[in-house]
Amino acid sequence: MPGFEIFGDEERKEVQDVLDTGVLFRYGFDQERKGHWKAKAFEAELSKLTEAQHCHLCSSGTAALSIALAACGVGAGDEVIVPPFTFVATIEAVLGAGAVPVFAEIDETLCLNPDAVNAVITPRTKAVLPVHMCGSMAGIDEIKALCEQKQLVLIEDACQALGGSLNGKALGTFGQMGCFSFDPVKTITCGEGGAVVTDDKELYTIAESYADHGHDHIGSDRGLESHPILGTNFRISELNAAVGLAQLRKMDYILKKQRAHKKALKDAMSQFPEISFRRIPDEKGDTATFLSFFLPDESKARKIAGELGSAGVDACFYWYDNNWHYIRQWDHLKKLKSAARLSIALLENCPDYENINLPQSDQIMSRTISMLIKLSWTEDELGQRIERIVEVISKG
Ligand SMILES: *Cc1c(COP(=O)(O)O)cnc(C)c1O
């Protein structure tokens, strides 16, 4: 999967362009930068890749989520429907906005179940924030239809799904805004970085202003720009953007390689009737960063996960016991423990996170194992890996 696997001369060259001019800032210095606009170039290329009208590159995926929430008008006290299986950053961004994360069950897509979303809508619900987990997609067309019917904002957390699509439409472009991450364990990396995409010019204008202290970016003198809104600083540096630009140009190669590796593993595992696979609404749009599969029950899943590890099959994740990606181990959230008091603690609609009950999600996650798909496997390594997996499951 990750961008950290491919760092080469292309990345060095882009970074060197920036070092040669010494202009590390993405705005201004028109003369000194000698035509190098790495953040801008990245935005143009990501827009092209996703076929979104507008893109704003920022400092992280978490920042992208915060920008999207702010631009879409999600703020203090608003309820935002989220899945319990995600990287915790999704939840942190909602809390940071002063909004209320409301959990809905996932289904065998490992993403939000549209019916479960419908079931937790209240008059305070402002937005739905589905996460395209582990490189594949939610039933985002159904979620979109629901949001339109209920007049809710739809923001996609596509941080793990760059390059994915549903029926030919890029993940991240179904709702008002889509968010991407370019941290070092995502499909491509900027070192640190993120982006929002949208087809709505007005949302884009608010987003790029909010991410830079409310600057309106009109005119050619930054010091004279006006600031229609308060914002914050979620800017990316040209150095990080330069790395990302080189990485973005490798997307075709990355997807092709991942898909081939994943297919070989999946074909080999399909011979076992006790194994079933994550439901993927559109196989062609899978980015193939992970192969996720189900065992018949929790004890079997835990046993196989352990044995795969002992057999040297690395990078297998049993998320149910993992403290980053599933709510079960999020004790900090359950106790609303942060560095300082969170604004949600003041709200009358603050849920009792300690007593949240998500039986369907537990049922699914307790049986799920995900294998990271690497680009760097040689054919021999892939072959050995398959042999070991087949051995473990045959004995299982
Ligand atoms: C990585 C990730 C984020 C946050 O991205 P950062 O760039 O690390 O801040 C948010 N959501 C999901 C689903 C992620 O995987």
Side-chain angles (χ1 to χ4, degrees):
M1 147 200 193
F4 70 71
E5 289 188 275
I6 42 162
F7 189 92
D9 288 343
E10 300 80 6
E11 283 77 0
R12 277 185 278 276
K13 189 215 159 268
E14 294 298 326
V15 173
Q16 194 60 49
D17 285 346
V18 179
L19 293 176
D20 286 345
T21 65
V23 179
L24 311 182
F25 197 54
R26 67 159 299 172
Y27 296 111
F29 300 97
D30 297 26
Q31 292 302 314
E32 297 88 334
R33 66 197 314 137
K34 302 204 172 82
H36 295 303
W37 299 87
K38 300 303 181 187
K40 268 194 193 252
F42 186 105
E43 288 164 354
E45 294 198 19
L46 189 68
S47 291
K48 210 163 140 214
L49 180 82
T50 57
E51 295 181 23
Q53 293 292 314
H54 308 280
C55 169
H56 181 70
L57 186 62
C58 59
S59 53
S60 72
T62 313
L65 289 162
S66 299
I67 293 167
L69 288 163
C72 293
V74 179
D78 292 331
E79 293 180 2
V80 180
I81 299 173
V82 293
F85 179 46
T86 180
F87 180 51
V88 71
T90 317
I91 314 305
E92 290 170 337
V94 174
L95 290 171
V100 179
V102 172
F103 290 91
E105 299 268 22
I106 58 167
D107 58 25
E108 293 200 343
T109 61
L110 300 183
C111 302
L112 278 177
N113 174 340
D115 294 331
V117 170
N118 197 9
V120 296
I121 292 173
T122 76
R124 296 190 199 242
T125 307
K126 174 91 182 198
V128 182
L129 180 40
V131 183
H132 299 291
M133 272 305 272
C134 302
S136 181
M137 76 276 325
I140 192 67
D141 45 355
E142 287 176 53
I143 296 172
K144 180 184 166 79
L146 177 66
C147 288
E148 279 171 359
Q149 186 204 337
K150 304 280 181 181
Q151 298 192 317
L152 301 174
V153 170
L154 173 59
I155 297 171
E156 290 167 86
D157 182 337
C159 285
Q160 296 191 8
L162 177 69
S165 58
L166 179 77
N167 303 329
K169 187 171 168 61
L171 302 181
T173 64
F174 284 80
Q176 274 81 355
M177 276 200 160
C179 304
F180 295 99
S181 164
F182 310 114
D183 81 23
V185 291
K186 297 309 197 303
T187 305
I188 65 161
T189 190
C190 291
E192 295 287 356
V196 291
V197 294
T198 183
D199 284 333
D200 185 324
K201 177 108 203 280
E202 206 173 315
L203 290 184
Y204 165 73
T205 303
I206 303 172
E208 61 119 38
S209 168
Y210 179 77
D212 182 24
H213 304 296
H215 272 267
D216 66 4
H217 301 133
I218 293 172
S220 55
D221 185 340
R222 185 168 168 85
L224 295 178
E225 287 174 8
S226 64
H227 310 83
I229 56 168
L230 289 170
T232 185
N233 177 3
F234 286 135
R235 292 188 307 255
I236 192 162
S237 86
E238 285 286 278
L239 290 169
N240 292 98
V243 174
L245 193 55
Q247 295 253 306
L248 200 49
R249 292 170 179 160
K250 299 178 179 179
M251 276 300 291
D252 284 348
Y253 166 79
I254 293 172
L255 290 177
K256 215 168 126 200
K257 199 93 187 162
Q258 282 177 173
R259 285 170 176 159
H261 286 174
K262 176 168 175 175
K263 181 170 186 308
L265 287 164
K266 193 169 178 178
D267 285 350
M269 290 170 66
S270 298
Q271 61 180 296
F272 300 103
E274 72 267 35
I275 288 191
S276 56
F277 297 95
R278 165 192 191 163
R279 184 159 69 78
I280 297 179
D282 179 6
E283 292 270 357
K284 283 205 287 297
D286 178 17
T287 69
T289 53
F290 283 90
L291 173 60
S292 298
F293 56 95
F294 308 117
L295 277 300
D297 57 49
E298 176 178 342
S299 70
K300 201 90 197 250
R302 213 178 243 122
K303 181 162 174 280
I304 294 286
E307 285 170 6
L308 286 169
S310 315
V313 182
D314 66 346
C316 293
F317 298 91
Y318 182 61
W319 307 110
Y320 196 55
D321 288 344
N322 173 305
N323 64 359
W324 286 101
H325 290 83
Y326 188 59
I327 193 170
R328 198 165 87 98
Q329 305 282 355
W330 291 345
D331 291 331
H332 49 6
L333 169 73
K334 291 177 186 171
K335 297 188 165 27
L336 288 181
K337 219 166 123 188
S338 187
R341 184 155 64 146
L342 293 169
S343 58
I344 190 176
L346 305 176
L347 298 173
E348 62 191 38
N349 58 332
C350 178
D352 174 6
Y353 292 112
E354 285 196 276
N355 288 301
I356 269 183
N357 205 5
L358 295 158
Q360 278 150 30
S361 303
D362 280 345
Q363 216 275 339
I364 290 166
M365 293 313 298
S366 64
R367 298 186 295 119
T368 303
I369 298 176
S370 300
M371 287 181 180
L372 183 67
I373 306 294
K374 286 202 181 149
L375 297 169
S376 52
W377 289 332
T378 62
E379 253 179 66
D380 278 356
E381 284 167 338
L382 183 61
Q384 276 174 17
R385 200 177 167 84
I386 290 172
E387 269 174 36
R388 287 180 188 157
I389 293 168
V390 167
E391 205 179 302
V392 166
I393 302 174
S394 308
K395 276 197 296 200

